[in-house]
Amino acid sequence: TNFIKKHQLNLNQTLMNYIINLLHNTQYTWHWHVGAAPWEEKVAFLLPYITSIDEKSQVVLEAVKQAPVPWSTTVADICVIGAKLNHPSAVEIKEQRSLVSVKGILKKYDCKNFLTSGPEADRLLQYILLKGKEDGYRDVLEMCQIMGSK
């Protein structure tokens, strides 16, 4: 903090920018099947020092969007902090929590992108049905129930 004070930087803005850059720079440096992301502990440690609700909500939302599934306890705790914020982003943070199971299903079938619609989404669901057989049917049903409520 001496550096921040010496150079008259805004602590909230500086921490938010650092964390967002950390999230973006480490996005593809770990394999998504290997557990916790390398940034989780740093984000959890620095988050309490961000006092601005706007910056804190931005950091939490970006962290939960990029977190590998299943979520670690650290990411779940970060999500709880964000969901309690009195900020419009709290709704999006809660939505990300509900998407964890969808991301887990897609991971099960080695599908890395769920931001599809139209014919592409239909092909994704058909792929899961074909590859998963009876489990695939249950997985597609669960995904439709979750995504249908969004």
Side-chain angles (χ1 to χ4, degrees):
T1 59
N2 289 338
F3 178 84
I4 291 173
K5 288 178 185 174
K6 181 180 177 181
H7 295 283
Q8 298 176 345
L9 299 172
N10 178 307
L11 179 63
N12 288 309
Q13 193 69 40
T14 302
L15 289 175
M16 182 194 74
N17 288 337
Y18 169 75
I19 293 170
I20 298 293
N21 286 330
L22 176 68
L23 292 169
H24 291 165
N25 290 334
T26 59
Q27 187 172 356
Y28 299 106
T29 60
W30 51 273
H31 193 272
W32 79 324
H33 290 288
V34 179
W39 49 260
E40 292 180 14
E41 295 301 323
K42 286 180 185 161
V43 172
F45 178 79
L46 293 173
L47 198 58
Y49 295 100
I50 301 175
T51 57
S52 162
I53 293 176
D54 288 333
E55 275 92 353
K56 188 176 277 196
S57 66
Q58 254 186 288
V59 165
V60 171
L61 182 58
E62 194 63 31
V64 296
K65 280 182 177 179
Q66 294 203 25
V69 293
W71 279 0
S72 66
T73 305
T74 303
V75 172
D77 292 344
I78 290 170
C79 183
V80 168
I81 291 167
K84 290 180 181 177
L85 293 174
N86 185 16
H87 192 274
S89 293
V91 172
E92 291 178 77
I93 292 165
K94 291 173 188 172
E95 184 177 270
Q96 287 299 313
R97 183 174 46 204
S98 70
L99 292 175
V100 169
S101 61
V102 171
K103 291 178 181 179
I105 290 168
L106 294 174
K107 178 180 173 181
K108 178 178 169 181
Y109 296 97
D110 295 320
C111 302
K112 295 181 182 171
N113 185 7
F114 76 99
L115 300 173
T116 60
S117 61
E120 199 174 312
D122 290 342
R123 283 193 298 276
L124 175 64
L125 296 176
Q126 289 171 359
Y127 171 76
I128 292 171
L129 286 168
L130 288 170
K131 190 169 182 186
K133 309 237 184 303
E134 194 170 318
D135 281 346
Y137 174 76
R138 282 191 289 274
D139 290 338
V140 165
L141 184 60
E142 182 179 344
M143 285 176 60
C144 289
Q145 288 171 342
I146 293 168
M147 299 302 287
S149 67
K150 300 291 158 232

